[in-house]
Amino acid sequence: MTTSTSPGTCTAVVGLHWGDEGKGKVVDLLAAEHDTVVRYNGGANAGHTVVVDGQKFALHLVPSGILYPGKLAVVGNGVVVDLEKLLEETEALEARGVSTESLVVSSRAHVVTAYHKLEDEFRERLAAGDGGGSAIGTTKRGIGPCYADKAQRATAVRIGDLLRPDALHEKLETACRFKRALLEGLDAGEALDADALTSRLSAVGERLRPRITDTTYLLHDQLRAGKRLLFEGGNATLLDVDHGTYPYVTSSNCTALGISTGTGVPGRGLDRVVGIMKAYTTRVGAGPMPTEQKNETGNRIRERGREYGTTTGRPRRCGWLDLVATRYSVMINGVTDVALMLFDVLAGFDQIQVCTAYDVAGERTDRFLPDGIDLAHAEPVYQSLPGFSEEITAVRARRDLPATAQKYVDFIEEFLGVRVSIISVGPGREQTLLA
Ligand code: IMP
């Protein structure tokens, strides 16, 4: 299957909401017309679900492009890698007949260790101790502590270090010294034993050796050879550490803006940015969500959309589409076209609400508030659009959607100022309408 637009040299796929928009399905679709699929941010906190020939694959670290034979799959320097999860994932793929031979990992990507996960949990518990106000509701995958160590430098371990056991041991001794002081009183077992960690990590390093490389040079070599690259954003725009609803965000640059630092490929090479949005809005974890529906509407969306986390299994918070937030994300990412996902979930509502502005302290605004504390004071202003009663999972062309469903898509296009080029009406590859 190919899309109607011709592929550029570089395409990015980024989530426009708070994650779980269905990026995996779109990456899988676009991978067909690219040579290489690249992850540039985040780690095992991301969860991409792809259904191929009725088989469901839940990927966390391995780029979704791996499901297409012959594509190079790259984990860039901006990713934080949980080695055990990576091995688990590659083994599970191999066991299901998917070759992972083409997977390579940047020697400069950072390593998530057992103590990062302990620290993540410890910090969340401590924050929740004050009444839960400052807990972020993280995935507890050690993402924040690992990125913090990357910025701290003295306590960081990179993939390339795994191949230098002496230097690795020294780094882990320093890191354990710091972490023991921080996690005082916690029974950490081998998670804070530098000797045990060194032997575990160097053994994994040996297994990974053929995959470890300088991915920056590799990607530039590919570009020079005329290859087409597809960048797969983990997490999503409103979780971006700089541009999201801080502090209720993850710790990386999830937007297309993170591609340059997370891979070493300059932004000017990017000629298509596909923004992925749901037909409604969801969020996992803490933080403001102006359109959240803690009622029958929210429950109906959750059940029809099977809105439970791929990574943690947590029920997702569900609500109406927030177009103010989505338009901000379109702007930040330089989105060229949009994929509208999970449209089938909205079938059966008489009226569908979309948020087109906020009321903040008596003032109306059509601007997003990219700050978690400010956004908590935003009251959504809705426009009501007619719904559609028919199920649309079997529809295969935009013009065959019910008239009111077509109007919903037109409204989104007009409000965002970009084309909806992909509409998804179910999890399967074939349940995709290309405009
Ligand atoms: P962390 O990334 O585990 O530190 O979690 C920080 C926040 O981002 C929490 O609210 C998580 O639920 C959320 N989060 C992180 N990654 C994803 C994702 O891929 N989808 C949805 N939410 C995510």
Side-chain angles (χ1 to χ4, degrees), residues 45-122:
N45 54 349
H48 293 172
T49 309
V50 187
V51 178
V52 182
D53 298 332
Q55 276 203 76
K56 188 170 164 178
F57 294 89
L59 302 171
H60 298 282
L61 270 162
V62 176
S64 308
I66 201 81
L67 300 175
Y68 262 99
K71 307 290 171 191
L72 184 61
V74 177
V75 174
N77 61 277
V79 176
V80 289
V81 183
D82 180 331
L83 296 161
E84 263 140 43
K85 286 265 170 266
L86 184 71
L87 289 177
E88 239 173 60
E89 216 167 302
T90 49
E91 278 162 14
L93 283 164
E94 293 283 351
R96 292 173 73 181
V98 178
S99 166
T100 60
E101 210 178 313
S102 69
L103 176 72
V104 293
V105 182
S106 167
S107 53
R108 287 183 281 132
H110 280 248
V111 177
V112 177
T113 60
Y115 56 72
H116 287 129
K117 286 179 261 187
L118 280 180
E119 186 179 339
D120 201 352
E121 221 174 310
F122 179 74

Side-chain angles (χ1 to χ4, degrees), residues 18-20 45-47 136-140 235 239 249-250 284-285 314:
W18 281 285
D20 315 310
N45 54 349
I136 290 164
T138 72
T139 59
K140 302 202 174 88
N235 327 116
L239 292 170
V249 293
T250 188
V284 196
R314 290 180 288 181

Side-chain angles (χ1 to χ4, degrees), residues 282-333:
T282 64
R283 174 162 209 172
V284 196
M289 175 183 166
T291 62
E292 181 173 13
Q293 300 294 306
K294 292 183 186 166
N295 52 28
E296 259 322 293
T297 298
N299 294 342
R300 182 182 163 88
I301 292 175
R302 185 175 309 105
E303 292 318 310
R304 279 185 63 87
R306 290 179 291 277
E307 293 292 356
Y308 296 88
T310 323
T311 305
T312 59
R314 290 180 288 181
R316 296 180 186 136
R317 299 156 64 191
C318 298
W320 296 118
L321 177 58
D322 186 339
L323 279 176
V324 178
T326 314
R327 187 162 62 185
Y328 164 79
S329 298
V330 164
M331 174 178 83
I332 287 294
N333 287 291

